[in-house]
Amino acid sequence: MKVAVIGSGYVGLTLVCLAKFGHKITIVDKIQSRVDIINNGISPIYEPGLEEILKENVKTGMVKATIDYTEIEDSDVVFVCVGTPSKEDGSIDLSQIETASRQIGQHLGKSKNYQVVVVKSTVVPKTTIKTVLPILEESSGLKAGVDFGVAMTPEFLREGSGVYDFINPDKIVIGTSDKKSLSILSQLYESFDSKIPRIYTDQTTAEMIKYAQNSMLASRISFMNEIANICEKFNVDVSEVAYAIGLDSRIGPKFLNAGIGFGGSCFPKDVKALIAASKSVGVKPNLLESIISVNENQPHRLIEIAKRTLGDLKNKKIAVLGLAFKSDTDDMRESRAIPVIETLLKEGSIVSVYDPKAMENAKKIFEGNILYSASKEDCVKNVDACMVLTEWKEFRDLELSSMKCPVIEGRRVMDPNKVIEAGLNYKSIGWKYN
Ligand code: NAD
């Protein structure tokens, strides 16, 4: 099949994996420099395995990028993968979706095949049928369900394992209300393992599934963070509690790590968008609001622990290991390292930072006053404290014998026993000896 992908971010780029199954991919982005990088077989983002797939398929002509929408005219399926950020009030900003829909509409109907426009961006319930569909009809002069199809297939990939997750999803959700679209999309996803459950539903249910899933995952994190804050006061180590409750088959072990909270381009904005959508239909989202308020407090909890350990933070040299919002990515969007570092700077600390992948992105966020270290070893040299803010595996084997400062953990990546055995003071959120 010929597949067009609008938007070459994390989600759009992982769709190049469809080339592995013999589909020809045209990526459209509005940024020429991004298009040029992709056409050179280079990934504009760090995502394990992605660049290899890109390089191989650009070379064979199975993948190409362009800024020219006329190149989508012979596509069978057009995936919309543009950003859906938050507005100031937390509600969803659909401007990129609206623009992309208009641009797609202007180029629909030139193919003799029935084309399907598929929203893959995360959008609040009803967006596909109440915003995307009318714009497509208006700008194309065609009728949805008759001349072309409209569907919604949410994406569940995790940054850092996006390629693996795209090829091996836990489920494939296809939301559409016309049979032709369903048949075309079923065919597109045919090459995926037949054991992967398929959920065939309507567009609005597909949109809701994505928000419910992200909110559930975010709620587990905030729940454990609240438990961690209570544990500390009762001299209980939250990691023991998390391990034990995770053994209950009704709960399971994932997403129970207490720490400085969740960041990234999805959980914070998606929970906020669902809160706004919920209020707009008259439902008070008490639990969803608590997920956000617990999360926003966690970075300050780590600062509190740092103050208890070091006293006044003014002129204290603090090494920050980890800047990305999670490991295996260079993405710093909504990273919890941002409020931690900003608070340290406000308190007058001298901050050195190191991250295996996110250093360049960090330089775009923090102005001056930060020392960018060449390695984790350099970063922790001669400092008053070391804070670990991202769960990169490589921080587990930090050379502790050369360190003298307390370790204040935001992610529970290091083994507390090893830190203590090395004669260092160990602190972390939910640790019983804080
Ligand atoms: P992103 O911001 O990284 O990328 C969006 C891309 O779209 C950019 O390259 C931008 O230049 C391009 N773009 C915007 N408007 C355009 C237009 N009119 N024409 C062509 N290109 C245009 O976004 P992302 O992280 O890939 O996320 C995209 C969507 O997928 C969002 O709704 C997000 O919530 C959702 N999502 C993201 C993830 C993730 O892990 N990042 C996972 C699941 C779902």
Side-chain angles (χ1 to χ4, degrees):
M1 273 192 204
K2 288 186 177 157
V3 175
V5 175
I6 313 298
S8 65
Y10 288 81
V11 168
L13 278 171
T14 47
L15 275 161
V16 301
C17 296
L18 286 174
K20 273 178 166 280
F21 302 131
H23 304 296
K24 214 166 173 186
I25 318 291
T26 303
I27 301 170
V28 183
D29 203 286
K30 59 181 180 181
I31 303 170
Q32 182 68 56
S33 57
R34 231 173 146 86
V35 163
D36 294 340
I37 294 172
I38 296 167
N39 282 334
N40 282 323
I42 297 167
S43 172
I45 53 163
Y46 174 72
E47 189 61 44
L50 182 62
E51 191 153 296
E52 289 77 2
I53 298 174
L54 206 52
K55 200 166 260 143
E56 188 186 316
N57 287 289
V58 165
K59 208 197 260 165
T60 56
M62 290 299 281
V63 170
K64 74 165 176 182
T66 178
I67 58 162
D68 181 3
Y69 270 82
T70 59
E71 302 215 24
I72 70 166
E73 287 177 356
D74 63 348
S75 308
D76 301 301
V77 177
V78 182
F79 281 104
V80 182
C81 305
V82 297
T84 48
S86 300
K87 288 188 194 162
E88 283 276 296
D89 64 357
S91 66
I92 191 166
D93 175 354
L94 288 174
S95 57
Q96 292 184 41
I97 292 282
E98 288 162 0
T99 308
S101 304
R102 201 159 293 117
Q103 287 166 303
I104 295 166
Q106 286 160 3
H107 296 274
L108 269 184
K110 309 269 185 327
S111 163
K112 56 180 186 330
N113 295 337
Y114 188 82
Q115 296 172 292
V116 191
V117 179
V118 186
V119 177
K120 209 167 223 328
S121 299
T122 304
V123 291
V124 291
K126 295 274 185 224
T127 303
T128 303
I129 53 168
K130 290 224 164 136
T131 303
V132 176
L133 186 151
I135 296 177
L136 289 171
E137 285 190 334
E138 193 199 307
S139 52
S140 65
L142 302 171
K143 187 92 190 98
V146 178
D147 305 310
F148 69 94
V150 181
M152 199 285 153
T153 64
E155 180 54 60
F156 301 101
L157 67 82
R158 298 160 299 173
E159 282 181 31
S161 50
V163 168
Y164 178 85
D165 291 349
F166 182 82
I167 298 168
N168 306 284
D170 291 331
K171 60 188 168 286
I172 294 167
V173 176
I174 299 178
T176 187
S177 36
D178 80 279
K179 286 199 177 112
K180 275 195 235 166
S181 298
L182 182 57
S183 143
I184 292 166
L185 291 177
S186 304
Q187 214 183 312
L188 183 71
Y189 282 102
E190 214 163 56
S191 339
F192 285 67
D193 191 333
S194 59
K195 290 196 200 82
I196 300 168
R198 267 71 167 168
I199 291 151
Y200 302 117
T201 184
D202 59 74
Q203 293 94 329
T204 309
T205 308
E207 291 163 339
M208 194 65 209
I209 288 170
K210 175 68 188 171
Y211 278 99
Q213 171 154 330
N214 273 3
S215 300
M216 166 67 101
L217 293 171
S219 77
R220 285 173 70 101
I221 299 171
S222 278
F223 173 81
M224 251 4 257
N225 281 336
E226 189 154 286
I227 294 291
N229 299 343
I230 304 168
C231 279
E232 267 180 46
K233 299 290 178 197
F234 286 106
N235 289 347
V236 169
D237 176 5
V238 70
S239 69
E240 279 183 51
V241 176
Y243 173 71
I245 67 170
L247 292 174
D248 188 311
S249 58
R250 293 166 301 177
I251 296 175
K254 293 183 180 167
F255 279 76
L256 294 180
N257 276 351
I260 49 173
F262 56 80
S265 66
C266 292
F267 287 1
K269 87 166 168 67
D270 291 350
V271 178
K272 285 177 194 163
L274 187 57
I275 288 172
S278 165
K279 286 179 179 166
S280 77
V281 290
V283 178
K284 194 167 176 344
N286 297 321
L287 182 58
L288 298 176
E289 285 181 330
S290 300
I291 294 172
I292 295 295
S293 72
V294 170
N295 196 54
E296 284 176 357
N297 190 41
Q298 288 310 104
H300 304 292
R301 292 256 24 262
L302 198 72
I303 298 286
E304 246 174 68
I305 294 170
K307 282 185 177 169
R308 275 209 303 275
T309 313
L310 302 171
D312 190 356
L313 297 179
K314 196 169 166 56
N315 292 327
K316 293 279 174 7
K317 291 183 186 161
I318 315 251
V320 168
L321 294 180
L323 298 166
F325 86 90
K326 60 181 280 193
S327 59
D328 294 313
T329 181
D330 59 354
D331 197 347
M332 280 198 65
R333 288 179 286 184
E334 297 279 331
S335 168
R336 300 290 80 196
I338 300 171
V340 172
I341 293 172
E342 279 173 350
T343 312
L344 289 174
L345 292 173
K346 227 182 267 164
E347 296 278 340
S349 307
I350 300 154
V351 181
S352 58
V353 300
Y354 173 73
D355 186 283
K357 294 287 173 203
M359 298 293 264
E360 288 313 308
N361 283 337
K363 287 175 190 166
K364 294 175 206 155
I365 295 171
F366 304 111
E367 289 158 8
N369 292 341
I370 284 189
L371 307 166
Y372 292 94
S373 307
S375 64
K376 58 184 179 186
E377 291 80 14
D378 271 5
C379 189
V380 300
K381 247 182 224 159
N382 303 321
V383 292
D384 297 303
C386 164
M387 283 186 166
V388 184
L389 305 188
T390 311
E391 62 276 29
W392 285 101
K393 281 199 191 97
E394 66 172 74
F395 298 153
R396 273 188 207 157
D397 54 17
L398 200 62
E399 189 44 73
L400 297 166
S401 58
S402 60
M403 286 171 63
K404 293 190 179 59
C405 65
V407 172
I408 303 169
E409 269 242 64
R411 293 291 178 199
R412 289 289 178 117
V413 58
M414 294 170 82
D415 178 348
N417 293 325
K418 280 193 186 159
V419 179
I420 294 163
E421 274 162 27
L424 306 178
N425 191 355
Y426 177 86
K427 304 283 173 191
S428 80
I429 287 173
W431 177 241
K432 60 178 163 179
Y433 304 113
N434 275 343

